[in-house]
Amino acid sequence: MIRYNLRCERGHSFESWFQSSSAYDSQLKRKLVTCAVCGSAKVEKAIMAPRIVGARKRGSQAPADPSMSATMAEERELRAELKQLHDHLVKNADDVGARFPNEARKMHYGDIEPRPIYGEASPEDAKSLIEEGVAVGSLPVLRDDRN
C-alpha cells in the first residue's frame, strides 16, 4: 500500500491509500480519484516527504514515529466503522446498481415510492444529482468490500 498526499484544483488537500503507484495512475485516469472535500476529479499529487525505514527497524513491530501507532489505530477504527455502515446499507437497502441515478431521481421527483437504495454513479452523475437537490452520498470502497 502507498499513501499519497493529494490536492484538487480548488486547493483542498487530502490523503488517500492505493495498492500501488500504477493503481493510483489507473484510478486517476478513470476519474475515480476525487477530492474528499468538493468531489472534484481534477486531482494531483502534492509534495510529500517519503517515510524511510532502516534495516534495524524493519523487524520491529513498533513504528519509528509514536504518532504513527495512533494514526494506524485511528485508521483501523475508521475502517471498522465504514465496514459497519456498509453492512447496514447492504442489509437495509436495495442494490440498484448502475440504475442508481435514475432510481434516485424518480424518488426525488415523486415518481416512485421512496426507499433506501444504493448503487453506482459516475462522478458526473453524482454531481448532476447533487445540483438537482437529490440527497446522495458516497462511501469509499474498502479492499474487503470487493469480495
Side-chain angles (χ1 to χ4, degrees):
M1 294 292 283
I2 186 167
R3 180 186 68 179
Y4 286 130
N5 289 329
L6 304 171
R7 184 176 312 122
C8 78
E9 65 183 334
R10 296 182 183 159
H12 300 124
S13 295
F14 59 102
E15 66 181 38
S16 191
W17 290 86
F18 299 90
Q19 188 68 30
S20 64
S21 61
S22 61
Y24 165 79
D25 294 336
S26 171
Q27 290 179 31
L28 186 69
K29 185 177 181 179
R30 296 184 338 222
K31 298 187 179 196
L32 297 175
V33 180
T34 58
C35 176
V37 177
C38 67
S40 171
K42 292 185 181 178
V43 173
E44 63 183 16
K45 292 180 199 173
I47 296 174
M48 59 187 279
R51 181 169 172 80
I52 300 174
V53 178
R56 293 182 281 163
K57 297 192 180 187
R58 283 194 183 120
S60 169
Q61 295 284 26
D65 180 356
S67 68
M68 279 302 287
S69 61
T71 303
M72 291 168 61
E74 290 169 356
E75 181 182 346
R76 279 192 299 274
E77 184 178 328
L78 177 60
R79 290 179 68 81
E81 290 173 5
L82 287 171
K83 178 77 170 113
Q84 283 181 335
L85 179 57
H86 175 270
D87 292 347
H88 177 79
L89 285 172
V90 169
K91 182 179 177 183
N92 297 293
D94 296 331
D95 182 1
V96 295
R99 297 188 335 262
F100 179 83
N102 290 335
E103 292 291 307
R105 276 190 185 92
K106 287 178 188 177
M107 283 186 272
H108 178 74
Y109 292 112
D111 296 338
I112 61 174
E113 192 68 29
R115 71 188 194 282
I117 62 170
Y118 67 97
E120 302 170 13
S122 69
E124 294 82 15
D125 283 337
K127 181 179 178 186
S128 180
L129 287 167
I130 291 167
E131 288 172 351
E132 290 178 48
V134 179
V136 297
S138 65
L139 287 175
V141 175
L142 303 174
R143 260 189 310 163
D144 299 330
D145 292 347
R146 294 182 189 163
N147 296 337

